[in-house]
Amino acid sequence: MTKAALFDLDGVIADTAVYHLKAWRKLIQDHFNQDVPDGLLAQTKGLSRVDSLNAILSGLDLTVSEEEFARLADEKNDLYRQSLADLNEQGILPGISELLAELRKKDFHLALASASHNAPLILEKLGLSDSFEAIADPRKVGRGKPAPDIFLTAAKGVNCKPEDCIAFEDSAAGITAIKAAGSYAVGIGKQAELNADICFIDTASIDLDEILNNWQENK
Ligand code: B16
Ligand code: MG
């Protein structure tokens, strides 16, 4: 059996999820003089830039023209990219380099399933550009998370059936996407928020043997 591990990026491989949230908060403060509540910000985790902006505007009861929407999305991306300026290998979350090596040793193919258009830039800054055999391009994928499309594309990129893949995610939308794809969902964060097949509170706590045993038992 050909098996693969599919990875989300922001919040799983790199500690960049927090930069997205900060950029959204500053954007809305600057333009609308409003604070985005934590709960609303948390809902954007894993969603595409456009879906995130739609969720924030509708959560705050704000309406903008199409042109302004596009300008806001661009400005958020500029803010986000500024915060990536100093990103380097130190930005890889604890335990992830070891996990990638362990997976490779166990003959897993590795593929990236991130919603971020900035993923190739981030991988380069982290020194991980050559670590994945396939990178699903969210520009070419139909629907964003929570739809399964990006995970299905990542699995296909390494010629694996979705049911022969385990996938790592830190967002509820991403876990829903993995389950909809038919893969085994490993959550990073609080299980009460994620409802994953198995969950670890942070990347440092990930236990691959536990994952693989649990995956086999539940197949
Ligand atoms: P960009 P992931 C997602 O990355 C982030 O979780 C989400 O907050 C962000 O809106 C989305 O990427 C799009 O990112 O604006 O860089 O294209 O978690 O799927 O790796
Ligand atoms: Mg994420």
Side-chain angles (χ1 to χ4, degrees):
M1 169 184 104
T2 319
K3 53 200 184 196
L6 315 178
F7 279 85
D8 175 51
L9 175 62
D10 295 312
V12 171
I13 291 175
D15 197 8
T16 41
V18 58
Y19 297 147
H20 280 292
L21 305 188
K22 275 190 188 155
W24 285 124
R25 185 160 259 151
K26 177 160 169 43
L27 181 85
I28 300 300
Q29 189 68 54
D30 289 354
H31 285 264
F32 304 100
N33 200 23
Q34 285 199 46
D35 187 39
V36 188
D38 288 344
L40 181 53
L41 267 186
Q43 282 173 35
T44 68
K45 258 193 183 181
L47 300 191
S48 71
R49 200 178 310 156
V50 165
D51 289 348
S52 298
L53 183 52
N54 269 323
I56 291 172
L57 293 177
S58 102
L60 295 175
D61 256 332
L62 297 167
T63 318
V64 298
S65 68
E66 229 174 271
E67 293 72 29
E68 193 177 359
F69 188 98
R71 273 199 303 275
L72 288 168
D74 283 349
E75 192 177 324
K76 184 269 173 178
N77 195 42
D78 290 343
L79 288 168
Y80 176 63
R81 286 176 72 108
Q82 280 163 28
S83 63
L84 299 179
D86 296 331
L87 188 68
N88 58 31
E89 292 175 15
Q90 311 285 333
I92 300 175
L93 280 163
I96 291 297
S97 299
E98 295 79 357
L99 175 65
L100 296 176
E102 235 183 305
L103 283 163
R104 253 183 249 117
K105 229 159 95 187
K106 291 185 190 292
D107 294 326
F108 276 81
H109 294 276
L110 302 182
L112 197 78
S114 168
S116 177
H117 293 194
N118 293 295
L121 169 76
I122 295 173
L123 288 182
E124 192 194 319
K125 282 179 167 280
L126 299 175
L128 293 176
S129 293
D130 296 331
S131 297
F132 296 91
E133 288 159 60
I135 297 175
D137 182 349
R139 289 175 187 84
K140 295 185 186 150
V141 165
R143 300 161 299 168
K145 301 170 187 178
D149 305 28
I150 193 119
F151 287 98
L152 294 173
T153 304
K156 207 169 168 196
V158 286
N159 294 316
C160 262
K161 292 189 203 138
E163 59 269 29
D164 294 332
C165 297
I166 56 174
F168 296 80
E169 251 294 347
D170 70 320
S171 73
I175 296 289
T176 305
I178 294 168
K179 288 184 168 179
S183 300
Y184 178 80
V186 183
I188 313 297
K190 294 187 184 136
Q191 174 65 345
E193 289 165 12
L194 294 177
N195 192 24
D197 292 315
I198 191 168
C199 199
F200 299 92
I201 193 67
D202 53 29
T203 55
S205 316
I206 295 173
D207 181 333
L208 185 57
D209 288 334
E210 196 184 333
I211 292 171
L212 297 181
N213 287 336
N214 193 277
W215 184 33
Q216 285 316 315
E217 277 166 22
N218 291 289
K219 252 190 158 189

